Amino acid sequence: LLEGIAREIMKRKHQFAPQDIGTTLWSFASMEYFEEDVYRSACSRLSLRYCRSFKPQELSNTVWALATAGVFPKDLNVFDTTLVSSSKRMTISEITKDSVTECFAAATTELIRRPVEFKEQEIKDLLWSLSKVDCRHIS
């Protein structure tokens, strides 16, 4: 069943609404279905370009699912603004080459941009997700 749903997500990811993506990935992670290609494909919809259209719950559910499934950003230093100089951090064009890195960047960008829209649970889940994937020194 889950493999069939996963195949459909990968084929039709652009037809899924943000809520569908967040809820489906959250469900997969809760059921311990950890097929990395599915997560990477589905989360590509949550991009820096479209992240303003996602609700806080959709953002937090998606990054929570990625972290729970062990699907990590390619370069964790992208978020480190304290120890890694800006000249050594990824550029926006480099960030967008990895859907998971971009997804985490989009979620954190929106938390910074509109913190009052995030409920406490959503903030906690997003911060837990960053911690789980070993992101440090985010500002």
Side-chain angles (χ1 to χ4, degrees), residues 1-29 31 33 35-46 62 65-66:
L1 173 67
L2 296 180
E3 287 180 15
I5 294 169
R7 279 193 303 276
E8 288 303 310
I9 288 172
M10 291 179 71
K11 282 195 308 194
R12 303 182 315 164
K13 66 183 173 194
H14 296 293
Q15 296 174 349
F16 281 78
Q19 181 179 1
D20 300 332
I21 293 165
T23 303
T24 302
L25 292 182
W26 178 89
S27 298
F28 278 168
M31 292 185 285
Y33 180 77
E35 187 61 43
E36 185 169 342
D37 290 343
V38 175
Y39 286 85
R40 287 191 176 279
S41 178
C43 81
S44 68
R45 293 268 291 131
L46 202 170
T62 303
L66 291 168

Side-chain angles (χ1 to χ4, degrees), residues 90-135:
M90 295 172 82
T91 63
I92 294 294
S93 63
E94 292 171 323
I95 289 170
T96 59
K97 289 179 183 175
D98 175 52
S99 61
V100 175
T101 303
E102 185 173 14
C103 182
F104 273 88
T108 55
T109 297
E110 290 308 300
L111 177 57
I112 292 166
R113 181 177 289 140
R114 46 188 172 124
V116 296
E117 294 181 30
F118 282 74
K119 295 176 183 168
E120 291 79 7
Q121 178 76 33
E122 296 157 352
I123 294 169
K124 178 210 57 88
D125 286 348
L126 206 154
L127 293 176
W128 177 87
S129 301
L130 291 165
S131 174
K132 177 79 172 165
V133 302
D134 212 23
C135 287

Side-chain angles (χ1 to χ4, degrees), residues 53-100:
S53 67
F54 278 68
K55 295 176 183 166
Q57 184 178 17
E58 297 159 355
L59 296 165
S60 65
N61 280 354
T62 303
V63 295
W64 179 91
L66 291 168
T68 299
V71 181
F72 289 16
K74 293 279 187 199
D75 183 358
L76 296 173
N77 288 332
V78 68
F79 304 105
D80 190 335
T81 58
T82 303
L83 300 178
V84 179
S85 68
S86 60
S87 65
K88 293 184 179 178
R89 285 194 303 268
M90 295 172 82
T91 63
I92 294 294
S93 63
E94 292 171 323
I95 289 170
T96 59
K97 289 179 183 175
D98 175 52
S99 61
V100 175

